[in-house]
Amino acid sequence: MSDAILRPRRSVLYMPGANERALEKAKSLPADALILDLEDAVAPEAKAEARMRVAAAAASGEYGYREVTIRVNGPGTEWHADDLRAAAEAGPDAVVVPKVDSAQTVRDVERALEAAGAPDHTAVWAMVETPRAMLDARAVAAAGERLTVLVMGTNDLAKELHAEHVPGRAPLLTGLSLALLAARESGKVILDGVYNDVKNPEGFEAECVQGRQFGFDGKTLIHPSQVEPCNRVFAPSTEQIARSRKIIDAFDEATREGRGVVTVDGRLIENLHVEDARRILALAEALAGRA
Ligand SMILES: CC(C)(COP(=O)(O)OP(=O)(O)OC[C@H]1O[C@@H](n2cnc3c(N)ncnc32)[C@H](O)[C@@H]1OP(=O)(O)O)[C@@H](O)C(=O)NCCC(=O)NCCSC(=O)C[C@H](O)C(=O)O
Ligand SMILES: [Mg+2]
């Protein structure tokens, strides 16, 4: 498993790029990653100033272990090219590109970043949030050299579908599944979309659990109060860690004795379970010392 895949991204917090207070506050929040936003959270008249603020924040080195990314305005907007240039110069961990709906968009973004001298460590995260992106998710996920993460944009997707936001997200399940299949086929990380009702902690936690059960690596967030519950839901539990150790030990012992299968607590264990147990332990190890 590559470092890009193993890096914890349980909680990924958006913050408006024009909001100095939020940019400052994020330095003390236990989010695994931050998306400094130039797109939806910034009014047109504030775009230029937000671009400068965000570039300075990303280049500051003041966010500790947190992965720092910049969300640029989408392809086809008047701000896109300037945002990419500023992001390339700032050299964040990643550039988040909204409304990516083709492999060509990923390649165009990468070419622009190269031309602007982006450092090698700056990855591309593609937001998939349109019907076309759902239907072409496979090609998007496989495109480019820098692409490491897909990010669900469930607000835009619901809007495009004329769907309603309902508990359980039935109208979005096809899109979520297509994007997940595409991400996993290409060995990419995938993050779930945001939960808008910041005053509904029960609904938020239920959606985190649903995202984890689906297989998402983490969830994108809009408010500091969502960080702690999200970290808890997406981290391996004490029971999962203990069980993973037990599986690996039992399988190692069986292998030494020349047996290919073994049972743990009455359940059949094969090599695929061992691989999953190793993934869980690697994530737990990567999270050591984090809230
Ligand atoms: C949703 C909010 C507008 C709420 O703001 P506010 O009413 O100010 O919240 P609070 O008073 O409860 O804030 C308490 C303190 O926390 C700080 N704060 C608030 N939000 C953030 C944040 N996101 N990051 C960091 N810090 C934050 C406040 O400054 C207060 O600090 P202090 O005064 O020191 O106590 C607001 O939360 C917000 O703007 N959230 C982000 C919205 C956003 O980024 N939206 C765009 C991304 S979502 C999206 O586009 C998804 C995708 O594209 C799709 O299609 O689905
Ligand atoms: Mg969106």
Side-chain angles (χ1 to χ4, degrees):
M1 276 174 275
S2 77
D3 283 357
I5 302 300
L6 271 181
R7 194 163 176 171
R9 297 183 181 97
R10 298 164 299 174
S11 52
V12 178
L13 178 64
Y14 284 99
M15 63 204 56
N19 185 336
E20 191 67 45
R21 196 162 177 76
L23 293 175
E24 190 56 35
K25 193 176 181 74
K27 294 174 185 168
S28 61
L29 296 172
D32 288 332
L34 307 169
I35 300 179
L36 315 184
D37 191 20
L38 296 175
E39 200 213 19
D40 290 346
V42 180
E45 59 278 10
K47 296 278 188 195
E49 196 190 329
R51 186 186 296 129
M52 284 189 303
R53 274 186 204 280
V54 156
S60 71
E62 290 172 0
Y63 290 89
Y65 65 80
R66 298 163 195 81
E67 204 166 4
V68 177
T69 73
I70 296 177
R71 181 165 76 163
V72 297
N73 286 281
T77 66
E78 63 186 280
W79 307 286
H80 182 66
D82 287 343
D83 288 353
L84 283 180
R85 263 191 299 277
E89 277 168 33
D93 292 299
V95 175
V96 182
V97 186
K99 306 192 176 68
V100 173
D101 56 12
S102 72
Q104 188 58 45
T105 304
V106 177
R107 290 193 286 270
D108 289 346
V109 164
E110 293 200 0
R111 201 169 305 117
L113 289 173
E114 296 288 337
D120 289 346
H121 72 251
T122 297
V124 169
W125 294 10
M127 291 200 69
V128 285
E129 47 185 350
T130 61
R132 185 167 167 206
M134 298 304 109
L135 297 171
D136 281 352
R138 193 174 194 186
V140 169
E145 305 287 321
R146 292 179 186 252
L147 181 69
T148 54
V149 176
L150 295 188
V151 184
M152 290 303 311
T154 41
N155 277 334
D156 269 298
L157 184 59
K159 176 196 144 232
E160 295 290 320
L161 295 176
H162 304 176
E164 292 180 23
H165 290 279
V166 294
R169 297 191 287 179
L172 302 182
L173 295 185
T174 302
L176 294 172
S177 300
L178 287 170
L180 259 158
L181 286 165
R184 294 297 177 230
E185 182 190 43
S186 295
K188 301 290 169 12
V189 169
I190 182 159
L191 304 174
D192 202 354
V194 299
Y195 185 78
N196 298 324
D197 189 356
V198 291
K199 296 271 163 52
N200 180 357
E202 290 83 19
F204 173 69
E205 183 148 345
E207 197 170 285
C208 287
V209 170
Q210 183 198 35
R212 187 199 64 210
Q213 290 174 340
F214 247 80
F216 285 101
D217 296 291
K219 189 165 177 66
T220 46
L221 311 175
I222 54 169
H223 192 271
S225 63
Q226 297 178 327
V227 174
E228 187 279 325
C230 190
N231 279 348
R232 183 165 32 77
V233 170
F234 279 96
S237 66
T238 313
E239 295 75 36
Q240 266 184 311
I241 293 170
R243 182 168 162 76
S244 298
R245 292 207 178 102
K246 212 167 165 182
I247 286 172
I248 291 167
D249 290 349
F251 199 78
D252 283 351
E253 192 182 328
T255 306
R256 275 195 302 276
E257 292 168 0
R259 291 180 286 129
V261 289
V262 66
T263 57
V264 170
D265 300 332
R267 289 194 184 179
L268 175 70
I269 297 299
E270 295 173 312
N271 204 31
L272 63 103
H273 301 109
V274 178
E275 277 178 30
D276 204 44
R278 289 197 205 287
R279 181 186 62 78
I280 288 165
L281 290 188
L283 178 57
E285 209 170 289
L287 287 171
R290 288 198 194 184

